[in-house]
Short mmCIF file of all heavy atoms in Angstrom, two decimals:
data_model
loop_
_atom_site.label_atom_id
_atom_site.label_comp_id
_atom_site.label_asym_id
_atom_site.label_seq_id
_atom_site.Cartn_x
_atom_site.Cartn_y
_atom_site.Cartn_z
N VAL B 473 -32.85 -9.70 21.45
CA VAL B 473 -31.64 -9.49 20.67
C VAL B 473 -31.73 -10.38 19.44
O VAL B 473 -31.93 -11.59 19.55
CB VAL B 473 -30.37 -9.83 21.48
CG1 VAL B 473 -29.12 -9.66 20.62
CG2 VAL B 473 -30.29 -8.96 22.72
N VAL B 474 -31.62 -9.76 18.28
CA VAL B 474 -31.66 -10.51 17.03
C VAL B 474 -30.33 -10.31 16.35
O VAL B 474 -29.78 -9.20 16.36
CB VAL B 474 -32.81 -10.05 16.12
CG1 VAL B 474 -32.93 -10.94 14.90
CG2 VAL B 474 -34.12 -10.02 16.89
N ALA B 475 -29.79 -11.37 15.74
CA ALA B 475 -28.46 -11.26 15.18
C ALA B 475 -28.34 -12.00 13.86
O ALA B 475 -28.93 -13.07 13.67
CB ALA B 475 -27.43 -11.82 16.17
N SER B 476 -27.59 -11.39 12.95
CA SER B 476 -27.27 -12.04 11.69
C SER B 476 -26.03 -11.34 11.14
O SER B 476 -25.85 -10.13 11.36
CB SER B 476 -28.44 -11.89 10.70
OG SER B 476 -28.08 -12.47 9.45
N ALA B 477 -25.19 -12.06 10.44
CA ALA B 477 -23.88 -11.51 10.02
C ALA B 477 -23.97 -10.55 8.85
O ALA B 477 -22.98 -10.24 8.23
CB ALA B 477 -22.93 -12.66 9.67
N THR B 478 -25.14 -10.03 8.57
CA THR B 478 -25.32 -9.13 7.43
C THR B 478 -24.65 -7.77 7.69
O THR B 478 -23.94 -7.61 8.68
CB THR B 478 -26.82 -8.97 7.13
OG1 THR B 478 -27.00 -8.16 5.98
CG2 THR B 478 -27.54 -8.33 8.33
N ALA B 479 -24.84 -6.81 6.79
CA ALA B 479 -24.21 -5.50 6.91
C ALA B 479 -25.24 -4.40 6.84
O ALA B 479 -26.35 -4.60 6.34
CB ALA B 479 -23.18 -5.32 5.80
N ASP B 480 -24.86 -3.23 7.37
CA ASP B 480 -25.65 -2.02 7.16
C ASP B 480 -24.70 -0.98 6.59
O ASP B 480 -23.89 -0.40 7.30
CB ASP B 480 -26.26 -1.53 8.48
CG ASP B 480 -27.25 -0.38 8.26
OD1 ASP B 480 -27.13 0.32 7.23
OD2 ASP B 480 -28.14 -0.19 9.11
N ILE B 481 -24.78 -0.78 5.29
CA ILE B 481 -23.86 0.17 4.65
C ILE B 481 -24.49 1.54 4.54
O ILE B 481 -24.11 2.36 3.71
CB ILE B 481 -23.42 -0.35 3.26
CG1 ILE B 481 -24.62 -0.57 2.34
CG2 ILE B 481 -22.65 -1.65 3.40
CD1 ILE B 481 -24.24 -0.90 0.90
N GLY B 482 -25.47 1.78 5.41
CA GLY B 482 -26.19 3.05 5.38
C GLY B 482 -27.61 2.86 4.91
O GLY B 482 -28.41 3.79 4.88
N THR B 483 -27.91 1.62 4.56
CA THR B 483 -29.20 1.30 3.97
C THR B 483 -30.33 1.29 4.98
O THR B 483 -31.48 1.47 4.62
CB THR B 483 -29.10 -0.09 3.31
OG1 THR B 483 -28.38 -0.93 4.23
CG2 THR B 483 -28.30 -0.01 2.04
N GLY B 484 -29.99 1.02 6.25
CA GLY B 484 -31.04 0.97 7.27
C GLY B 484 -31.31 -0.44 7.79
O GLY B 484 -32.37 -0.70 8.36
N THR B 485 -30.35 -1.35 7.59
CA THR B 485 -30.54 -2.74 8.02
C THR B 485 -30.87 -2.82 9.52
O THR B 485 -31.80 -3.53 9.92
CB THR B 485 -29.28 -3.57 7.73
OG1 THR B 485 -28.87 -3.32 6.38
CG2 THR B 485 -29.54 -5.05 7.91
N TYR B 486 -30.10 -2.09 10.34
CA TYR B 486 -30.36 -2.12 11.78
C TYR B 486 -31.83 -1.79 12.07
O TYR B 486 -32.47 -2.41 12.90
CB TYR B 486 -29.52 -1.05 12.50
CG TYR B 486 -28.08 -1.41 12.78
CD1 TYR B 486 -27.04 -0.73 12.15
CD2 TYR B 486 -27.75 -2.40 13.70
CE1 TYR B 486 -25.71 -1.03 12.43
CE2 TYR B 486 -26.42 -2.71 13.99
CZ TYR B 486 -25.41 -2.02 13.36
OH TYR B 486 -24.10 -2.33 13.63
N THR B 487 -32.31 -0.80 11.36
CA THR B 487 -33.64 -0.27 11.66
C THR B 487 -34.74 -1.21 11.17
O THR B 487 -35.64 -1.57 11.92
CB THR B 487 -33.79 1.12 11.00
OG1 THR B 487 -32.66 1.90 11.37
CG2 THR B 487 -35.07 1.80 11.45
N VAL B 488 -34.66 -1.62 9.91
CA VAL B 488 -35.78 -2.42 9.39
C VAL B 488 -35.80 -3.82 10.01
O VAL B 488 -36.87 -4.38 10.24
CB VAL B 488 -35.78 -2.53 7.84
CG1 VAL B 488 -35.99 -1.15 7.23
CG2 VAL B 488 -34.55 -3.18 7.30
N MET B 489 -34.63 -4.38 10.34
CA MET B 489 -34.63 -5.69 10.98
C MET B 489 -35.23 -5.57 12.38
O MET B 489 -35.98 -6.44 12.83
CB MET B 489 -33.21 -6.26 11.07
CG MET B 489 -32.57 -6.53 9.72
SD MET B 489 -33.58 -7.60 8.65
CE MET B 489 -32.90 -7.15 7.06
N SER B 490 -34.90 -4.48 13.07
CA SER B 490 -35.50 -4.25 14.39
C SER B 490 -37.02 -4.14 14.25
O SER B 490 -37.77 -4.64 15.09
CB SER B 490 -34.94 -2.97 15.02
OG SER B 490 -33.55 -3.07 15.20
N GLN B 491 -37.45 -3.48 13.19
CA GLN B 491 -38.90 -3.32 12.99
C GLN B 491 -39.58 -4.66 12.73
O GLN B 491 -40.65 -4.94 13.26
CB GLN B 491 -39.16 -2.41 11.78
CG GLN B 491 -39.14 -0.94 12.12
CD GLN B 491 -39.38 -0.09 10.90
OE1 GLN B 491 -38.48 0.10 10.10
NE2 GLN B 491 -40.60 0.40 10.74
N ILE B 492 -38.95 -5.46 11.89
CA ILE B 492 -39.55 -6.77 11.57
C ILE B 492 -39.64 -7.60 12.86
O ILE B 492 -40.67 -8.23 13.16
CB ILE B 492 -38.72 -7.50 10.49
CG1 ILE B 492 -38.83 -6.75 9.15
CG2 ILE B 492 -39.17 -8.96 10.34
CD1 ILE B 492 -37.84 -7.22 8.09
N ALA B 493 -38.57 -7.56 13.64
CA ALA B 493 -38.56 -8.34 14.88
C ALA B 493 -39.58 -7.81 15.87
O ALA B 493 -40.37 -8.58 16.45
CB ALA B 493 -37.15 -8.32 15.49
N ALA B 494 -39.59 -6.49 16.05
CA ALA B 494 -40.53 -5.90 17.00
C ALA B 494 -41.97 -6.17 16.56
O ALA B 494 -42.84 -6.49 17.38
CB ALA B 494 -40.28 -4.40 17.12
N GLY B 495 -42.20 -6.06 15.27
CA GLY B 495 -43.54 -6.28 14.75
C GLY B 495 -43.99 -7.72 14.98
O GLY B 495 -45.13 -7.98 15.36
N THR B 496 -43.08 -8.65 14.77
CA THR B 496 -43.45 -10.06 14.88
C THR B 496 -43.73 -10.44 16.33
O THR B 496 -44.60 -11.27 16.61
CB THR B 496 -42.31 -10.94 14.32
OG1 THR B 496 -41.94 -10.42 13.05
CG2 THR B 496 -42.74 -12.38 14.18
N LEU B 497 -43.01 -9.83 17.26
CA LEU B 497 -43.18 -10.21 18.66
C LEU B 497 -43.98 -9.18 19.46
O LEU B 497 -44.05 -9.27 20.69
CB LEU B 497 -41.82 -10.47 19.30
CG LEU B 497 -41.14 -11.76 18.80
CD1 LEU B 497 -39.76 -11.93 19.42
CD2 LEU B 497 -42.00 -12.98 19.13
N GLY B 498 -44.55 -8.21 18.77
CA GLY B 498 -45.39 -7.24 19.46
C GLY B 498 -44.65 -6.48 20.54
O GLY B 498 -45.20 -6.20 21.61
N LEU B 499 -43.39 -6.15 20.29
CA LEU B 499 -42.60 -5.43 21.29
C LEU B 499 -42.39 -3.99 20.85
O LEU B 499 -42.36 -3.70 19.66
CB LEU B 499 -41.22 -6.10 21.44
CG LEU B 499 -41.19 -7.51 22.01
CD1 LEU B 499 -39.79 -8.09 21.86
CD2 LEU B 499 -41.60 -7.49 23.48
N PRO B 500 -42.21 -3.09 21.83
CA PRO B 500 -41.80 -1.73 21.43
C PRO B 500 -40.42 -1.80 20.78
O PRO B 500 -39.58 -2.63 21.16
CB PRO B 500 -41.71 -0.97 22.76
CG PRO B 500 -42.24 -1.88 23.80
CD PRO B 500 -42.29 -3.27 23.27
N ILE B 501 -40.16 -0.91 19.82
CA ILE B 501 -38.90 -0.96 19.08
C ILE B 501 -37.71 -0.79 20.02
O ILE B 501 -36.64 -1.36 19.80
CB ILE B 501 -38.91 0.11 17.95
CG1 ILE B 501 -37.79 -0.15 16.95
CG2 ILE B 501 -38.79 1.51 18.51
CD1 ILE B 501 -38.16 -1.16 15.93
N GLY B 502 -37.92 -0.06 21.09
CA GLY B 502 -36.83 0.16 22.04
C GLY B 502 -36.39 -1.11 22.76
O GLY B 502 -35.31 -1.15 23.36
N ASN B 503 -37.21 -2.15 22.70
CA ASN B 503 -36.85 -3.41 23.35
C ASN B 503 -36.03 -4.33 22.45
O ASN B 503 -35.71 -5.44 22.84
CB ASN B 503 -38.12 -4.18 23.75
CG ASN B 503 -38.74 -3.62 25.01
OD1 ASN B 503 -38.62 -2.44 25.29
ND2 ASN B 503 -39.39 -4.48 25.79
N VAL B 504 -35.75 -3.87 21.23
CA VAL B 504 -35.07 -4.75 20.28
C VAL B 504 -33.67 -4.23 19.99
O VAL B 504 -33.46 -3.05 19.75
CB VAL B 504 -35.86 -4.83 18.96
CG1 VAL B 504 -35.16 -5.77 17.98
CG2 VAL B 504 -37.28 -5.29 19.22
N THR B 505 -32.71 -5.13 20.03
CA THR B 505 -31.36 -4.81 19.58
C THR B 505 -31.04 -5.73 18.42
O THR B 505 -31.22 -6.94 18.53
CB THR B 505 -30.32 -5.05 20.71
OG1 THR B 505 -30.71 -4.27 21.83
CG2 THR B 505 -28.92 -4.68 20.27
N PHE B 506 -30.57 -5.15 17.32
CA PHE B 506 -30.16 -5.99 16.20
C PHE B 506 -28.65 -5.93 16.08
O PHE B 506 -28.05 -4.86 16.11
CB PHE B 506 -30.82 -5.52 14.89
CG PHE B 506 -30.60 -6.48 13.75
CD1 PHE B 506 -31.27 -7.68 13.71
CD2 PHE B 506 -29.69 -6.19 12.75
CE1 PHE B 506 -31.05 -8.60 12.68
CE2 PHE B 506 -29.46 -7.09 11.71
CZ PHE B 506 -30.15 -8.30 11.68
N LYS B 507 -28.03 -7.08 15.95
CA LYS B 507 -26.58 -7.16 15.82
C LYS B 507 -26.23 -7.65 14.43
O LYS B 507 -26.86 -8.59 13.92
CB LYS B 507 -25.99 -8.13 16.85
CG LYS B 507 -26.06 -7.64 18.26
CD LYS B 507 -25.34 -8.62 19.17
CE LYS B 507 -25.25 -8.08 20.58
NZ LYS B 507 -24.70 -9.10 21.49
N LEU B 508 -25.21 -7.03 13.84
CA LEU B 508 -24.81 -7.43 12.49
C LEU B 508 -23.32 -7.18 12.31
O LEU B 508 -22.63 -6.76 13.23
CB LEU B 508 -25.63 -6.67 11.44
CG LEU B 508 -25.69 -5.14 11.47
CD1 LEU B 508 -24.37 -4.46 11.17
CD2 LEU B 508 -26.73 -4.65 10.47
N GLY B 509 -22.82 -7.45 11.10
CA GLY B 509 -21.44 -7.10 10.79
C GLY B 509 -20.43 -7.85 11.62
O GLY B 509 -19.46 -7.27 12.10
N ASP B 510 -20.61 -9.15 11.79
CA ASP B 510 -19.69 -9.94 12.62
C ASP B 510 -19.71 -11.36 12.07
O ASP B 510 -20.77 -12.00 12.02
CB ASP B 510 -20.17 -9.88 14.08
CG ASP B 510 -19.23 -10.62 15.03
OD1 ASP B 510 -18.38 -11.41 14.55
OD2 ASP B 510 -19.37 -10.40 16.25
N SER B 511 -18.54 -11.85 11.68
CA SER B 511 -18.49 -13.18 11.07
C SER B 511 -18.85 -14.28 12.05
O SER B 511 -19.08 -15.42 11.66
CB SER B 511 -17.09 -13.44 10.47
OG SER B 511 -16.11 -13.39 11.49
#
Side-chain angles (χ1 to χ4, degrees):
Chain B
V473 178
V474 187
S476 177
T478 183
D480 188 336
I481 59 172
T483 43
T485 312
Y486 280 114
T487 310
V488 296
M489 296 305 158
S490 299
Q491 275 179 281
I492 292 169
T496 311
L497 289 177
L499 294 171
I501 195 83
N503 281 30
V504 181
T505 303
F506 189 73
K507 290 185 173 173
L508 54 67
D510 183 345
S511 61

